[in-house]
Amino acid sequence: MIQIKPYMLTNCSCSCGGDFSFSELIWQGLHICEKLICTKCGKVRINSLEINQSGIEPYIYYPDSELICDHEGNVVPDNWFSKKLRCLANPVIRDVDLKIEIINKFDRVLILNTLDYIYGHSFLYLLNLQRIIKSEKKLGIIVIIQPMLRWLIPEKNVAEIWTVDLGFRDFNNFYPDLSVKINSELARFKKVMLSKAYVIPTNENINIQAFTGIKPYNFLNEPSFPSITFIWREDPDRLWIRNIYLLKGFKKAGLGKILIPFQYLRVIYLFRLLRRTIGTKFTYSVAGLGDFGSFPSYIRDLRIKKFTEDAEKMLCEIYSESTLVIGIHGSGMLLPSAHAGMTVSLMPSKRWGNYAEDILFTEKDVRLASFQRRIVPLNLSIFEIRDIIADMVTGRKPFIQKFIHTEDL
């Protein structure tokens, strides 16, 4: 935790020999910063507090020179994360609605910031709540959230919910009005701590039912016709296209959506191959966001056109009835993997650095986890993917039997 009220002064000196003094907290979204001003030369230094991604990459921004440095003083080139600091120089001047819900009153609080420009990042920050609720008994917990994730908060365990009426893409920008409003709310409290909000929230399995209210798939009480479900997306970065250079080329030309029909045909062919291999004892479904094409009658089309609370809950129910979900690596796999019995995540060739970040594990046995949560190259042939899925859904019981034994020596 980081104490932000009463403010704990960061001791640092300016290159002119003067000392920096605290000016204000800046709430950009992904970055929460302390603004410092040199008492001698007036130089401004903005430190990104070590929470969220800043816990891994703590940066310092000097608006006058436009330099961004790490803690060793090395200049940091522009990247997806540093650019969010640079946007402080070009604020968006508009009112931002901040809805305050007070559930329980505390004068000493811990704030969990989940604001981000990517859904998956925000969702993973939110899952820090599981660890926080378990460990923190004295401070009231405040969650800062965006509307799309509001329904996932377990209200009975938090003191306040602050909902920021901005979409994910909006947090590529900085809104001074939001920063002012959050700082004014802090005046109500005697002590304010800031959660570290780790990028990977915990090394324990997530109890997803505590967040969604929906029980995950139960192998001891399986549906009569469990589903194998493909997680559908239509954004160019997450299409099932084996040739990444073709995908990137079409995306760069602004023609990424031209490739959606290829994904559509691939999904149909995969399910056709699976039906030939494992028969009709499974239901075949497509769920997610989008509406391209009409699927054959044996494939349930459960896609939605817009994410709403009711639509998300409906999708989670579908995932929880799925013995296996398969989809492209990314944030769209988080809720499916947490609810489904098994998962196959197709990893694009340039994303291996994000290995397992889109999978929420439910298994305690590491061998069972390795069987039930597969991360495989996206560019595998469709026949290899068919074989993997078929072996998973038909071979799970024989696999588990190998580890069932008595204490008999």
Side-chain angles (χ1 to χ4, degrees):
M1 295 185 288
I2 299 174
Q3 183 169 312
I4 57 175
K5 184 181 179 182
Y7 175 72
M8 303 291 287
L9 181 64
T10 298
N11 294 317
C12 55
S13 300
C14 182
S15 56
C16 74
D19 293 323
F20 283 103
S21 65
F22 176 72
S23 173
E24 63 175 325
L25 284 174
I26 299 174
W27 301 76
Q28 180 272 325
L30 175 57
H31 291 279
I32 300 175
C33 310
E34 53 180 3
K35 180 179 179 180
L36 308 177
I37 300 177
C38 177
T39 55
K40 185 175 180 180
C41 71
K43 184 177 183 178
V44 175
R45 169 178 168 144
I46 297 176
N47 297 333
S48 184
L49 299 180
E50 294 183 25
I51 70 162
N52 306 130
Q53 184 69 22
S54 283
I56 303 170
E57 300 177 85
Y59 290 160
I60 302 165
Y61 176 44
Y62 297 97
D64 296 338
S65 63
E66 298 187 351
L67 289 178
I68 296 179
C69 302
D70 60 23
H71 278 202
E72 281 71 49
N74 302 310
V75 175
V76 175
D78 279 352
N79 58 53
W80 68 270
F81 185 55
S82 64
K83 286 180 180 178
K84 306 303 176 291
L85 266 181
R86 204 172 290 284
C87 76
L88 299 179
N90 298 289
V92 176
I93 308 302
R94 55 159 280 197
D95 289 340
V96 177
D97 183 42
L98 177 64
K99 181 182 179 182
I100 306 294
E101 299 175 69
I102 300 176
I103 300 167
N104 296 295
K105 290 187 176 181
F106 285 80
D107 58 7
R108 291 172 171 78
V109 296
L110 169 65
I111 294 178
L112 172 63
N113 173 58
T114 71
L115 303 180
D116 202 286
Y117 76 112
I118 292 178
Y119 167 88
H121 294 180
S122 293
F123 182 60
L124 288 171
Y125 300 150
L126 177 61
L127 294 181
N128 279 270
L129 260 183
Q130 177 172 295
R131 181 175 43 81
I132 292 170
I133 291 169
K134 182 179 179 181
S135 302
E136 182 51 61
K137 305 300 181 184
K138 296 180 180 179
L139 302 175
I141 301 168
I142 296 175
V143 182
I144 305 180
I145 200 86
Q146 289 157 269
M148 188 173 172
L149 292 169
R150 166 64 183 82
W151 73 280
L152 290 164
I153 298 177
E155 294 184 15
K156 67 178 182 179
N157 295 303
V158 302
E160 300 188 18
I161 302 170
W162 299 357
T163 305
V164 179
D165 191 17
L166 290 172
F168 293 107
R169 292 182 181 178
D170 292 326
F171 278 106
N172 285 297
N173 304 310
F174 167 55
Y175 300 86
D177 181 69
L178 174 63
S179 192
V180 169
K181 286 176 177 174
I182 292 178
N183 282 331
S184 67
E185 291 297 328
L186 302 185
R188 295 192 279 119
F189 308 106
K190 291 182 180 179
K191 184 176 183 179
V192 181
M193 306 297 291
L194 195 59
S195 169
K196 288 281 190 174
Y198 297 111
V199 174
I200 302 299
T202 176
N203 59 4
E204 297 181 357
N205 292 332
I206 295 296
N207 175 16
I208 197 62
Q209 186 178 353
F211 292 90
T212 66
I214 297 168
K215 293 181 179 180
Y217 190 87
N218 184 354
F219 281 103
L220 299 178
N221 185 26
E222 294 185 284
S224 299
F225 294 94
S227 182
I228 296 174
T229 303
F230 183 85
I231 308 304
W232 182 269
R233 292 178 65 171
E234 293 183 1
D235 38 325
D237 282 333
R238 293 296 185 269
L239 294 177
W240 188 6
I241 304 297
R242 292 177 65 190
N243 189 322
I244 190 171
Y245 300 104
L246 178 68
L247 185 64
K248 286 183 175 293
F250 272 80
K251 180 188 174 185
K252 189 173 183 180
L255 302 172
K257 290 189 178 295
I258 289 178
L259 298 174
I260 294 175
F262 293 93
Q263 172 174 274
Y264 165 77
L265 294 172
R266 191 179 293 273
V267 172
I268 293 175
Y269 191 41
L270 173 65
F271 283 156
R272 185 173 297 167
L273 290 172
L274 285 170
R275 284 186 90 206
R276 291 175 183 171
T277 305
I278 57 179
T280 57
K281 59 184 177 180
F282 296 96
T283 300
Y284 300 94
S285 308
V286 178
L289 183 65
D291 59 2
F292 178 88
S294 297
F295 289 97
S297 59
Y298 69 88
I299 299 176
R300 295 190 304 166
D301 190 349
L302 304 171
R303 296 174 297 176
I304 60 174
K305 295 182 180 180
K306 182 181 179 181
F307 281 119
T308 64
E309 180 176 336
D310 288 341
E312 286 245 72
K313 288 180 178 178
M314 182 270 289
L315 287 175
C316 288
E317 292 280 5
I318 294 165
Y319 307 148
S320 70
E321 296 170 0
S322 300
T323 191
L324 183 143
V325 293
I326 174 174
I328 313 304
H329 160 85
S331 58
M333 292 297 291
L334 288 166
L335 283 172
S337 67
H339 289 90
M342 297 184 284
T343 302
V344 175
S345 177
L346 303 174
M347 180 67 79
S349 60
K350 301 298 182 182
R351 300 304 298 266
W352 287 101
N354 302 107
Y355 187 86
E357 292 180 8
D358 63 332
I359 301 296
L360 296 180
F361 291 84
T362 58
E363 301 83 2
K364 293 181 179 179
D365 189 299
V366 293
R367 293 164 299 188
L368 184 58
S370 68
F371 183 90
Q372 295 187 163
R373 310 295 162 185
R374 307 283 182 97
I375 302 171
V376 302
L378 181 147
N379 58 10
L380 283 181
S381 79
I382 198 166
F383 302 102
E384 290 174 299
I385 292 172
R386 175 210 50 195
D387 291 344
I388 290 170
I389 293 174
D391 286 344
M392 289 174 71
V393 298
T394 62
R396 181 182 182 275
K397 288 181 180 178
F399 176 83
I400 290 177
Q401 285 177 337
K402 297 173 186 177
F403 303 102
I404 296 175
H405 57 80
T406 68
E407 295 304 315
D408 186 359
L409 299 180

